[in-house]
Amino acid sequence: MNLPDMNEAKKRHRENVEYIYTDVVKNNKYKDKKYFIKTYGCQMNVHDSEEISGLLENLGYTRVESELDADLIILNTCAIRENAHDKVFGFLGRCKHLKKDKKDIKIVLCGCMAQEKSVVDEILSKHKYIDLVLGTHNIHELPNYLTNLQDGLNIEVKSNEGNVYEIGENYHRDSKYTAWINIMYGCDKFCTYCIVPYTRGKERSRRSKDIIKEVMCLKEKGYKEVTLLGQNVNAYGTDNEEEMSFAELLENVAKTGIERIRFVTSHPWNFTDDMIDTIAKYDNIMPYIHLPLQSGSDRILKLMGRRYTQEEYIKLYKKIKEKVKNAAITTDIIVGFPNESDEDFNETLKVVEECQYDGAFTFIYSPREGTPAAKMSDSTPLSVKEERLQRLNEVVNKYSNMNNQKYLDKTVKVLLVGESEKDSNKLYGYTETMKLVNVECDKKLIGQIVDVKIAEAKSFSLDGYHEK
């Protein structure tokens, strides 16, 4: 693996950009080339793909919706769970066959999986038809790597220390109305089950003035909503004593006047009273909070390295509910952590019953090589874990439905973002509390925040009609 000095890489960045945009773009080297990008994983990966698309389109590439039509295939990967790994290599198998028929096609694997040594070793052993493996810390240099691509497998994976780069407006944003904004990268929490600190590196905050500038730019372009992104947004600024806290950043973003502000993801350990007060103070900070629980058992939480107890989590949950009007809270829960007992699992159910979440992302624990939890012995059969997951989902869905029923016959504000996939005669959008709503209304209203009367409430969505 090529692991060059990060300071040298940082110094080379502007030289690379200058070369790319004064030579490659000028000569239209890629003006007839097409690219296809497939994204796996979290919102951070989605936003990384927007950055990649922007860089490629500035080179002259055109995006296509099928790998069959592409000259360049990019897989932006996730390393959180085993099934993501399996899906990537399954798709790579299709790419291998495609390359036999179309020898000039280029295949790039980037994202979190590229930072895993075991994945790179597997590629070196079984997948040498891939042209470029690119890590999470140097995707901004993709144009330079493509321009200087050598025959055979090229590996450009840098250390997990990482840097923060500003690429200006070089994004291909998937929406004209809502936008992701990275405010920081990496994570220092080192939860024992999580691969993110190893694939994304240590916490690095962007400069607040650059973030505010990006928000203002989006507002001027007519964007209605921004979502501040980070593996742990609450830790914003803690890596730089000259920077403001996340609560202060939230307040400054709110003062731009953009209509809707969201953020993901928060770690309960860093969720301060100042944050809660700021959310409660500004109407344009949406009353939707994703607050991962992971487990309700103090024993399991300690093994996970989560740094809070059940009691502390519930206290925080109640404080948010008390201070933030109409707050909707969702969560993440892992079932079947090594040697989770029936008693441990029942403690998780206890928290779900008490918090009555608006929704939850639930998973069976998936060991990731290189994490401490992967080395823990585990005697719990998969069948037991699957049964627990089913029981958990039944409780989660009960409260999700209950919370959605509260919207029945009420009028709510919905940002309409597109046509419904299930019914082209309807639009879909989201309430301030992040409820999915399918709406009967004029398609000209896409991109607008409108009043919607809720006529039907389901477990995972709402149906309504536009109140003119």
Side-chain angles (χ1 to χ4, degrees), residues 209-412:
K209 66 177 184 179
D210 291 328
I211 297 168
I212 301 301
K213 180 181 177 181
E214 188 172 349
V215 174
M216 289 298 298
C217 227
L218 289 164
K219 181 189 174 187
E220 289 169 7
K221 290 180 178 180
Y223 279 78
K224 302 293 185 182
E225 177 179 298
V226 295
T227 300
L228 308 182
L229 281 181
Q231 259 75 36
N232 175 21
V233 291
N234 311 30
Y236 176 82
T238 57
D239 59 307
N240 184 352
E241 61 182 17
E242 295 181 0
E243 266 302 350
M244 58 184 67
S245 68
F246 182 58
E248 292 170 320
L249 178 66
L250 262 181
E251 182 159 32
N252 278 276
V253 173
K255 287 179 178 178
T256 66
I258 196 158
E259 292 184 67
R260 287 187 169 190
I261 301 161
R262 303 188 190 277
F263 57 90
V264 287
T265 292
S266 296
H267 192 299
W269 189 58
N270 287 116
F271 214 113
T272 65
D273 289 348
D274 286 345
M275 280 180 58
I276 299 172
D277 292 340
T278 301
I279 296 165
K281 180 179 178 181
Y282 290 93
D283 290 338
N284 59 343
I285 301 178
M286 297 297 94
Y288 165 76
I289 295 164
H290 189 68
L291 193 68
L293 170 67
Q294 306 303 4
S295 174
S297 162
D298 286 347
R299 185 179 77 88
I300 297 297
L301 286 171
K302 187 174 182 179
L303 288 173
M304 288 179 166
R306 290 294 289 173
R307 310 187 192 197
Y308 55 82
T309 63
Q310 179 194 109
E311 181 181 359
E312 289 167 339
Y313 180 94
I314 292 175
K315 182 179 178 181
L316 171 62
Y317 178 95
K318 290 181 177 179
K319 189 183 295 183
I320 295 170
K321 280 287 193 178
E322 288 169 3
K323 290 191 174 184
V324 180
K325 184 180 178 182
N326 300 321
I329 300 179
T330 57
T331 195
D332 293 336
I333 299 174
I334 296 172
V335 170
F337 192 78
N339 293 308
E340 177 190 66
S341 66
D342 286 338
E343 182 180 352
D344 293 322
F345 177 67
N346 287 334
E347 287 296 301
T348 296
L349 289 181
K350 172 186 170 183
V351 176
V352 175
E353 292 281 5
E354 181 160 356
C355 292
Q356 301 182 5
Y357 297 105
D358 283 72
F361 297 95
T362 59
F363 317 94
I364 292 177
Y365 167 72
S366 177
R368 305 309 295 145
E369 184 178 344
T371 62
K375 299 176 183 177
M376 297 179 184
S377 61
D378 186 12
S379 59
T380 308
L382 178 60
S383 59
V384 172
K385 298 177 182 181
E386 290 174 337
E387 186 270 338
R388 287 176 183 167
L389 181 65
Q390 182 178 347
R391 287 168 56 197
L392 173 63
N393 285 338
E394 287 173 357
V395 178
V396 167
N397 293 344
K398 176 181 71 174
Y399 289 116
S400 177
N401 185 280
M402 180 195 77
N403 285 310
N404 280 358
Q405 293 299 323
K406 297 175 184 177
Y407 289 80
L408 197 58
D409 296 325
K410 291 186 177 180
T411 298
V412 294

Side-chain angles (χ1 to χ4, degrees), residues 39-49 76-81 84 112 180 182 196 200 229-231 264-265:
T39 307
Y40 302 84
C42 68
Q43 296 97 331
M44 187 74 76
N45 278 32
V46 172
H47 190 42
D48 284 348
S49 288
N76 188 11
T77 64
C78 172
I80 295 296
R81 283 175 290 279
C112 292
W180 308 105
N182 276 352
V196 167
R200 290 281 181 177
L229 281 181
Q231 259 75 36
V264 287
T265 292

Side-chain angles (χ1 to χ4, degrees), residues 20-57:
I20 291 163
Y21 294 106
T22 58
D23 184 56
V24 180
V25 175
K26 180 180 177 181
N27 294 314
N28 294 317
K29 182 176 180 179
Y30 298 110
K31 68 174 182 178
D32 297 321
K33 297 291 185 180
K34 298 178 176 62
Y35 77 97
F36 169 81
I37 187 165
K38 192 171 182 65
T39 307
Y40 302 84
C42 68
Q43 296 97 331
M44 187 74 76
N45 278 32
V46 172
H47 190 42
D48 284 348
S49 288
E50 290 183 334
E51 177 180 339
I52 291 167
S53 294
L55 292 170
L56 291 174
E57 290 175 15

Side-chain angles (χ1 to χ4, degrees), residues 36-257:
F36 169 81
I37 187 165
K38 192 171 182 65
T39 307
Y40 302 84
C42 68
Q43 296 97 331
M44 187 74 76
N45 278 32
V46 172
H47 190 42
D48 284 348
S49 288
E50 290 183 334
E51 177 180 339
I52 291 167
S53 294
L55 292 170
L56 291 174
E57 290 175 15
N58 280 340
L59 287 182
Y61 278 92
T62 301
R63 186 169 180 169
V64 293
E65 297 305 315
S66 171
E67 70 275 13
L68 300 176
D69 301 322
D71 301 291
L72 172 66
I73 297 175
I74 296 183
L75 280 73
N76 188 11
T77 64
C78 172
I80 295 296
R81 283 175 290 279
E82 188 67 32
N83 65 339
H85 175 281
D86 294 342
K87 287 179 181 178
V88 168
F89 280 100
F91 189 81
L92 278 172
R94 291 158 57 186
C95 294
K96 181 179 181 180
H97 290 294
L98 182 60
K99 193 159 188 173
K100 289 179 181 179
D101 299 325
K102 194 175 180 180
K103 296 187 183 300
D104 291 336
I105 197 169
K106 301 300 181 185
I107 301 170
V108 177
L109 184 144
C110 62
C112 292
M113 278 178 59
Q115 294 291 148
E116 294 186 274
K117 184 179 183 303
S118 61
V119 170
V120 176
D121 289 343
E122 185 174 353
I123 289 171
L124 286 167
S125 173
K126 302 177 182 178
H127 304 277
K128 291 185 179 179
Y129 57 87
I130 296 174
D131 296 280
L132 175 63
V133 177
L134 187 63
T136 58
H137 306 300
N138 51 328
I139 61 172
H140 58 280
E141 294 188 79
L142 175 60
N144 187 54
Y145 295 135
L146 289 176
T147 304
N148 297 287
L149 201 61
Q150 303 295 314
D151 291 337
L153 174 59
N154 297 258
I155 298 178
E156 296 288 348
V157 179
K158 296 183 177 179
S159 75
N160 66 0
E161 290 303 306
N163 281 292
V164 175
Y165 293 98
E166 296 295 330
I167 68 165
E169 292 301 300
N170 294 327
Y171 288 106
H172 170 109
R173 296 197 184 267
D174 293 333
S175 170
K176 297 178 182 178
Y177 323 110
T178 65
W180 308 105
I181 297 181
N182 276 352
I183 66 167
M184 62 182 303
Y185 304 86
C187 184
D188 292 351
K189 293 297 177 286
F190 286 94
C191 299
T192 60
Y193 55 83
C194 186
I195 196 70
V196 167
Y198 308 96
T199 60
R200 290 281 181 177
K202 65 182 181 181
E203 291 172 351
R204 292 103 63 204
S205 301
R206 285 179 66 197
R207 293 182 301 181
S208 54
K209 66 177 184 179
D210 291 328
I211 297 168
I212 301 301
K213 180 181 177 181
E214 188 172 349
V215 174
M216 289 298 298
C217 227
L218 289 164
K219 181 189 174 187
E220 289 169 7
K221 290 180 178 180
Y223 279 78
K224 302 293 185 182
E225 177 179 298
V226 295
T227 300
L228 308 182
L229 281 181
Q231 259 75 36
N232 175 21
V233 291
N234 311 30
Y236 176 82
T238 57
D239 59 307
N240 184 352
E241 61 182 17
E242 295 181 0
E243 266 302 350
M244 58 184 67
S245 68
F246 182 58
E248 292 170 320
L249 178 66
L250 262 181
E251 182 159 32
N252 278 276
V253 173
K255 287 179 178 178
T256 66

